[in-house]
Every structure is written in C-alpha cells, then in structure tokens.
Amino acid sequence: MVRFIEESTKHVDKETGNKSNTDVTTAKKKVLQDLIINNGGGLINSWVDSMRACSPTHLKSLMKQSSWLKEHPSALEMFEEILHASEGKQIVMFLDYDGTLSPIVDDPDQAFMSKQMRRTVRNLANCFPTAIVSGRCREKVYNFVKLTELYYAGSHGMDIKGPEQGSKYEADKSLLCQPATEFLPMIDEVYQRLMEKTKSTPGGNVENNKFCVSVHFRRVDEKNWSDLANQVRSVMKDYPKLRLTQGRKVLEIRPIIKWDKGNALEFLLESLGYANCTNVFPLYIGDDRTDEDAFKILRERRQGLGILVSKSPKETNASYSLQEPDEVMDFLQRLVKWKQLRSGA
C-alpha cells in the first residue's frame, strides 16, 4: 500500500533554526517510501517481512555480492579515485554514528566507539569540517563521541548545533537549528504511551531521542515482532501529525515535516558558506536507510559522494561501500594522512 500525504516545505532560518513567517509553503503529493504502519495487519506483515529480508541470506539471493560491488566498489580500493574527484575542492565530512563509527549492538545504550576511532575522528576534524548526523538525540551522540570540535545533528537532523570549541571551521558558535520544536510535547506524550504499551513485550526498548522516538526490536524474539509492531500502531493511530518509518530492526516515530538527514546536510553546507559553491566536496558515510536521504541529495546535486557501510548488498544511492566500522576507520585515517602530507604536517 502507498499512502499520499500533503507536506509543507519551509525555509528554516540559518541562525535561529526557526521557520520564517515569510516562508513560501509548497504542498505536494509525495509517495512515502518509508513504511507507515497505520492501517492494520497488512502493513504490519509487510514491515516484519521487510525486516526478515534484511538478513544477508535473503539479500544475497536477490543480488550477488560481486555484481553489487561493481556498482558500489570499496571506498578503500577506490581511494585514489575518490581523491581525484575531490581535487581542488574543500572536503566536508558527514558521518552517521551507529553502525558507522560504532558497531551495532543489542543494547543501544552500549554503542560505544573505540578510543582509536575517537582519536581518528578528532584528527579528521582537524583536517576537514566534520559533522555527526544521527537518529539519536544530539546529547546522547555527544556523550558517546565527546569531541567539542564537531558539528552534531541529532534526531535525524532535526536538532543541529555547531562546535562548542576547537574547530577551525566554525560557521557560527551560536548555530542552532531545531525545525520541529513545536512537536516536542507530542513526542514526549507518545514516548510515555509507548513505554506503557510495550512493557509486556520482552526485549522491547523504547528510546526518547528528543524530536523522535525509536522502538528497538533487536532484543525481541522474532515471533513477537508483529505483536510489538501492532502495539506501536495502536498508539500511533491517535497522532496523525507523526509518521512511522523503518530502520535496522527499529521503528522511528517522527513529525510529518519535510526535514531529514539530507536537509541537515544542506543546512550545514549553507552554514559553512558552501551553499552555492562548486568547489566543495561533501563525503557522507552511513549505514542506515535514513542515510539514503543524504545520499540522494548528493546525487541530485552532483556534488560529493555517499559511502554505504554494509556487509551485504542493498539498494542504495551511495556510490561506494565499506563493510564495517573498522573499514570506516581505515578510510578516515587514510584521508587524514593524505591531508597532512599535502599540508606538510
């Protein structure tokens, strides 16, 4: 089933993050590629089937690894090609957190990055403007990363803040963008209701990510997935201004506004002064379905490139691939070394 909705696209003020009264609102019908579970068992079953299909066994039957790698080659193997494409341009780094800088773990509160990865990201930020773009609450991501020189975009880009200190690329120390502030009371209410509704499901985990809510299935027995999804749907039917999307063994509850990781990428580029520049080269590395919004923006702009982190073939708008966080770290370390050699460091 495909559901059509009306969405408003509004300008967000770069300095305040508030929607302007003079915004031009364009309403258009958009086919939601995200799964919206609001219409009974059929869509619940579709979501459960989709989650099962995300296993490597199912995917490899649909798409051979070797064939997929021809279209999305290893960013490590094609490192020189990527450098050539960025020649004469300012590289700007965008990094997802879970599954990119840290391994995917059963308990989301234990998704710690290694000391070596933290050191690598710190060195990266000394060479290039660097942002973490995550579905997590911005404060949670910062507590995992603990680097003040980065830009942080939490809640799938709905909560953006500039570096606290130490960045050579500060656009504005007061940089703050929160386009979904009006939804905070509703999000808190939904979080409380979901906590109560799902408490009977062993392994279920409801996470408050400030501007969105995440319901994790990773520790739930597969036979209970449909029950948990139905519990979420029963709450969501009372909130038409929120939408439900699917991630990696997680359901995400978000406001129905036209704002995602792709919009966050464009906002940060504008804040850094690269809105209409041809000499900028954004590099976005991520592993989740929500990162596809950013990959798509880069393809549409014909600027920079996306790198998908995955051990298995997936439909993606990314140009290159890396298999796991260890490969991400290797790639970032090579970038740092290349930049330091060019700078004579």
Side-chain angles (χ1 to χ4, degrees):
M1 174 184 174
V2 177
R3 178 187 175 196
F4 292 88
I5 67 168
E6 295 288 319
E7 287 188 329
S8 294
T9 304
K10 294 186 177 183
H11 172 73
V12 178
D13 186 89
K14 185 175 73 172
E15 295 183 357
T16 66
N18 295 323
K19 287 178 278 188
S20 168
N21 291 330
T22 59
D23 293 340
V24 176
T25 302
T26 59
K28 62 180 181 180
K29 288 184 178 179
K30 181 179 179 236
V31 179
L32 285 183
Q33 300 300 326
D34 299 320
L35 181 65
I36 301 178
I37 301 177
N38 65 348
N39 222 3
L43 284 176
I44 295 294
N45 293 334
S46 296
W47 178 78
V48 171
D49 289 343
S50 176
M51 188 161 71
R52 290 194 183 105
C54 285
S55 69
T57 301
H58 285 272
L59 283 167
K60 285 180 181 177
S61 67
L62 296 173
M63 197 182 305
K64 292 182 179 179
Q65 181 91 10
S66 59
S67 174
W68 186 81
L69 283 173
K70 288 181 181 178
E71 293 187 24
H72 312 283
S74 166
L76 286 171
E77 294 180 8
M78 306 303 292
F79 186 75
E80 294 300 326
E81 179 177 287
I82 294 171
L83 291 184
H84 179 73
S86 70
E87 188 68 34
K89 301 176 182 178
Q90 172 64 62
I91 292 175
V92 181
M93 297 300 306
F94 298 89
L95 306 167
D96 185 22
Y97 183 75
D98 293 276
T100 299
L101 299 181
S102 73
I104 294 293
V105 294
D106 288 343
D107 185 352
D109 291 332
Q110 300 300 312
F112 299 108
M113 67 194 304
S114 68
K115 291 181 180 179
Q116 189 175 6
M117 179 67 88
R118 181 176 290 104
R119 184 165 54 250
T120 298
V121 174
R122 178 184 287 115
N123 292 337
L124 184 75
N126 287 331
C127 295
F128 313 103
T130 301
I132 307 292
V133 187
S134 172
R136 299 263 200 161
C137 167
R138 174 169 55 82
E139 289 83 0
K140 288 182 183 178
V141 179
Y142 177 81
N143 287 335
F144 277 128
V145 179
K146 296 179 179 177
L147 295 175
T148 60
E149 54 265 60
L150 306 181
Y151 293 82
Y152 288 90
S155 303
H156 299 291
M158 288 182 285
D159 188 7
I160 303 174
K161 193 174 187 302
E164 292 184 8
Q165 60 184 17
S167 173
K168 297 188 296 184
Y169 306 97
E170 292 181 38
D172 183 351
K173 286 185 177 181
S174 63
L175 177 67
L176 183 68
C177 176
Q178 296 178 328
T181 302
E182 64 186 279
F183 292 92
L184 282 175
M186 188 182 299
I187 290 292
D188 287 337
E189 181 179 313
V190 168
Y191 169 70
Q192 295 298 332
R193 288 189 60 184
L194 285 171
M195 286 286 289
E196 180 65 25
K197 190 74 174 179
T198 64
K199 66 182 182 181
S200 62
T201 302
N205 186 343
V206 182
E207 184 180 14
N208 189 337
N209 284 311
K210 191 169 183 176
F211 292 97
C212 60
V213 177
S214 303
V215 182
H216 298 278
F217 285 64
R218 194 163 296 277
R219 293 193 293 178
V220 177
D221 191 303
E222 185 174 334
K223 68 177 186 242
N224 295 325
W225 287 353
S226 292
D227 289 342
L228 182 55
N230 272 307
Q231 290 166 2
V232 175
R233 182 188 63 83
S234 70
V235 172
M236 287 296 296
K237 65 182 175 59
D238 297 327
Y239 297 92
K241 291 185 178 181
L242 301 178
R243 63 177 173 140
L244 197 57
T245 63
Q246 176 193 349
R248 294 177 64 179
K249 293 188 180 180
V250 64
L251 290 181
E252 306 273 7
I253 292 94
R254 295 194 254 170
I256 295 185
I257 63 171
K258 183 62 182 74
W259 194 269
D260 52 38
K261 289 184 176 182
N263 299 108
L265 180 150
E266 291 190 306
F267 174 85
L268 284 166
L269 287 176
E270 180 181 352
S271 299
L272 285 161
Y274 299 124
N276 300 306
C277 294
T278 57
N279 63 339
V280 63
F281 195 81
L283 270 174
Y284 191 109
I285 307 178
D287 75 306
D288 196 67
R289 292 177 65 158
T290 58
D291 297 310
E292 291 297 326
D293 295 316
F295 296 154
K296 183 179 178 182
I297 287 292
L298 293 178
R299 280 197 179 272
E300 290 175 350
R301 292 170 64 109
R302 297 184 179 181
Q303 195 172 49
L305 54 88
I307 300 174
L308 176 70
V309 184
S310 177
K311 290 185 177 181
S312 306
K314 294 180 181 179
E315 292 293 333
T316 182
N317 284 298
S319 302
Y320 296 91
S321 64
L322 293 166
Q323 290 203 5
E324 57 191 358
D326 282 347
E327 286 199 354
V328 173
M329 185 166 63
D330 289 346
F331 179 83
L332 299 181
Q333 288 174 345
R334 290 183 66 177
L335 265 183
V336 169
K337 185 178 180 180
W338 168 79
K339 179 64 173 181
Q340 289 174 341
L341 287 173
R342 286 178 64 96
S343 302

